[in-house]
């Protein structure tokens, strides 16, 4: 269901023009990222996390907790829901999957599925089994710059023509509810996970708080807090000139969504993803760019 935008928009080398995901910052066993340059070039993120805990100010033996992806939906993606930590660890031996979406680009009239209108799990289950998806699911129009918080239990799906930056827990656990009855090349329907999905769905849908806390940095730069939960915090930096920040968390995951700039004299440009370690506290930005900055809570 993917396309070619990971190459055309970001210059990434992709295996085909049907590539839907870039795991940009990941230490998950199903897809690890490798450090590109600097003194740790060639190491995987999990190697760095396990062998250099001073970079992250952690001494706890645990998995790297977060992941950053870019998702290119050339077609409507399947309707999904994700479990919380308790359910996922018990059933899947994995973390739960709270996530959030920042819309990088969207074609005219693009939509996502975000939530449902059932008042209870029982009502959701009844309508789903009766294949009343059109009256059950909630569609929302999207445009570039929109943001959606997607807590565990939220019914969701990316729609055709959306390009998304996703920050999430480091998990690959997904329960598929509906896939538009599409068939693969062999004529088979994709596997659904209805029983597990019905167990973890939040009903009624809780929506999101869209009141973002924005503060001005310098004359024309702004930092907006997008979401904060038990797993991560996410902010957007709109850089128009210069901005100075003092790091308040042990480390940060940063994605450059557009433009180019320097950070403490190092050039960063659209498509770059990097981690600011614990040893760097003063952050001096200069340039014109939009960045998404995340940290664990």
């Amino acid at each position: 269901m993917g396309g070619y935008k990971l190459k055309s928009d970001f210059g990434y080398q992709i295996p085909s023009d049907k590539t839907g995901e870039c795991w940009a910052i990941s230490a998950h066993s199903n897809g690890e990222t490798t450090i590109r340059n600097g003194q740790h070039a060639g190491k995987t993120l999990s190697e760095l996390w396990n062998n250099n805990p001073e970079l992250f100010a952690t001494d706890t033996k645990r998995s790297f907790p977060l992941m950053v992806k870019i998702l290119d939906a050339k077609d409507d993606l399947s309707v999904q829901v994700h479990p919380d930590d308790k359910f996922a660890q018990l059933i899947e031996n994995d973390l739960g999957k709270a996530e959030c979406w920042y819309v990088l680009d969207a074609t005219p009239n693009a939509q996502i599925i975000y939530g449902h209108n059932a008042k209870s799990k029982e009502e959701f289950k009844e309508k789903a089994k009766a294949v009343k998806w059109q009256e059950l699911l909630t569609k929302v129009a999207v445009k570039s710059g929109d943001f959606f918080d997607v807590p565990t239990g939220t019914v969701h799906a990316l729609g055709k023509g959306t390009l998304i930056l996703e920050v999430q827990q480091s998990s690959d656990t997904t329960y598929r509810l509906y896939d538009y009855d599409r068939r693969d090349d062999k004529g088979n329907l994709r596997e659904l996970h209805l029983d597990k999905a019905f167990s973890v769905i939040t009903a009624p849908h809780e929506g999101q708080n869209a009141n973002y806390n924005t503060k001005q940095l310098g004359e024309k730069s702004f930092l907006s807090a997008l979401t904060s939960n038990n797993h991560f915090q996410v902010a957007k930096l709109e850089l128009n000139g210069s901005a100075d920040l003092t790091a308040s968390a042990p480390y940060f995951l940063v994605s450059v969504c557009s433009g180019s700039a320097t950070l403490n004299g190092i050039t960063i440009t659209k498509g770059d993803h990097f981690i600011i370690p614990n040893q760097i506290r003063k952050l001096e930005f200069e340039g014109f760019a939009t960045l998404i900055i995340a940290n664990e809570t």
Side-chain angles (χ1 to χ4, degrees), residues 188-260:
N188 299 315
L189 295 170
R190 294 179 76 189
E191 180 184 5
L192 301 179
H193 315 96
L194 295 180
D195 288 342
K196 291 179 179 179
F198 292 152
S199 297
V200 303
I201 283 169
T202 299
H205 173 62
E206 294 181 352
Q208 69 174 355
N209 181 1
N211 295 319
Y212 308 134
N213 179 20
T214 299
K215 64 179 180 180
Q216 189 167 351
L217 307 173
E219 281 191 30
K220 298 181 180 180
S221 297
F222 298 88
L223 183 68
S224 300
L226 300 180
T227 190
S228 179
N229 55 46
N230 292 333
H231 308 289
F232 51 74
Q233 293 179 322
V234 178
K236 176 173 69 170
L237 174 58
E238 297 171 278
L239 181 65
N240 291 287
S242 61
D244 294 343
L245 295 171
T246 300
S248 57
Y251 64 94
F252 293 91
L253 284 58
V254 184
S255 297
V256 185
C257 300
S258 65
S260 61

Side-chain angles (χ1 to χ4, degrees), residues 68-131:
V68 176
K69 295 178 180 177
I70 296 181
L71 307 176
D72 175 16
K74 188 177 181 180
D75 201 352
D76 293 331
L77 302 191
S78 60
V79 181
Q80 306 173 351
V81 66
H82 304 310
D84 62 15
D85 283 340
K86 184 177 180 180
F87 190 95
Q89 288 168 357
L90 178 65
I91 304 300
E92 310 293 349
N93 193 30
D94 200 359
L95 292 176
K97 193 177 177 185
E99 63 189 35
C100 61
W101 295 339
Y102 177 72
V103 181
L104 297 167
D105 194 17
T107 57
N109 303 315
Q111 296 180 318
I112 63 170
I113 289 172
Y114 185 70
H116 59 86
N117 55 35
K119 296 179 176 60
S120 66
K121 285 189 177 184
E122 291 72 22
E123 182 184 351
F124 187 100
K125 189 173 181 179
E126 288 174 6
K127 288 187 176 181
K129 289 191 171 182
V131 199

Side-chain angles (χ1 to χ4, degrees), residues 261-279:
T262 60
L263 170 55
N264 293 359
I266 298 174
T267 298
I268 55 176
T269 191
K270 178 181 177 179
D272 286 344
H273 307 267
F274 55 92
I275 295 175
I276 299 173
N278 184 57
Q279 287 80 356

